[in-house]
Amino acid sequence: MTKNLLRGFGGALAVSALALSALPAVAESFRLGLITPPPHVWTQAAEAFGEELAERSGGAHSLQVFPAQQLGNEAEMLQQLQSGALDMAFMTVAEVSNRAPSFGAFYAPFLADDLGHAARILRSDVAQGMLDELPEQIGVVGLGYGMAGLRQIVSRGEVDEAADLAGLKIRITPFTPILDFYNALDTAPTPMPLPDVYDALANGQVDAIDMDAELIWGLRYYEHADTIIESNHMMFPMVALVSGRVWALLSDEDKDLIAELMGAAVDGTIDVYVAEEPGWLEQIQGTDRTYVQVGPEFFGDVPAEWDAIWSVRSDMLDDLRAVADATRE
Ligand code: BEZ
């Protein structure tokens, strides 16, 4: 196929192909990678996007979804997107923030009061506008946000106050904003990709994990814990990405179709978490584990310390805090 041949030559030909703004629509088989396991909300949304793409393109396009890090971790997938070796990904904003630090502002502690508030922040013009910077900043096209639930803490020991977490090895998603949060909390943050978390918690390699309700419940992390702290301390956005090189080779018609369907697929995950998270939390609360609900005061000065660090690193922190204030109910 024309576009795949162009892609195969890479280098100079691929660069000159970038100048072609609107090739005619050609049948394409796209590949989309993500780190979440097959039953996860994000993976289900990716599969649904593939089905919709095949249907709406009259069978011309197809999508192969590679879940559970089959194509590598997020850093590796982002490199593949940049080179054009991978077409698409649903990726944590965390990984994007490693390359485009302004996105780190989404992890400001207690930016969102609840999931409905997180949804309004992600759907704001300010958040949507940040996607416009991605092609120039890191060579990928951002087509919309999704999310997972707010972050909670699952601990193998009893926790009555934040001081009980001091020195504990707490599993975190490997990225800087959350590392800074747990450093400020005087813990020993332990970056670890999602697929390694279950065994690490079960065998005591870590004392606690930073996680969302879907996975605490669905992957039964709570079974290896004494205390679940419902803290809702951070939101966890996801972004739909297309390789900038691949995007440049698409017809305008295909760009419009993919932008519409991929954007809707990730946006739909927001509605799933808003609807489902209370149920997951209720089920976790119904187990025989100690369940504590805490607010920002539990973390003392940590949110302010985090803001002091990130107001320098991200030029979007003030803007997103302003959006949060304006959309608070
Ligand atoms: C995590 O690393 O905790 C995570 C990654 C993707 C989706 C949900 C959770």
Side-chain angles (χ1 to χ4, degrees), residues 35-37 40 42 74 91-92 147-149 151 171-175 178 192-195 197 210-212 214-215 221 236-238 273:
I35 61 169
T36 48
H40 191 270
W42 296 4
E74 288 196 328
M91 196 168 278
T92 63
M147 71 176 174
R151 304 303 283 186
R171 176 272 166 177
I172 60 164
T173 314
F175 72 113
I178 199 164
M192 185 178 289
L194 190 55
V197 176
D210 178 278
M211 192 51 66
D212 62 65
E214 177 192 12
L215 294 177
Y221 290 131
F236 203 79
M238 170 262 267
Y273 286 98

Side-chain angles (χ1 to χ4, degrees), residues 197-232:
V197 176
Y198 187 89
D199 287 347
L201 184 67
N203 66 27
Q205 188 189 336
V206 292
D207 305 304
I209 61 172
D210 178 278
M211 192 51 66
D212 62 65
E214 177 192 12
L215 294 177
I216 296 170
W217 178 248
L219 297 184
R220 306 180 88 78
Y221 290 131
Y222 66 88
E223 287 182 350
H224 300 285
D226 297 304
T227 310
I228 318 297
I229 306 170
E230 185 192 326
S231 51
N232 298 318

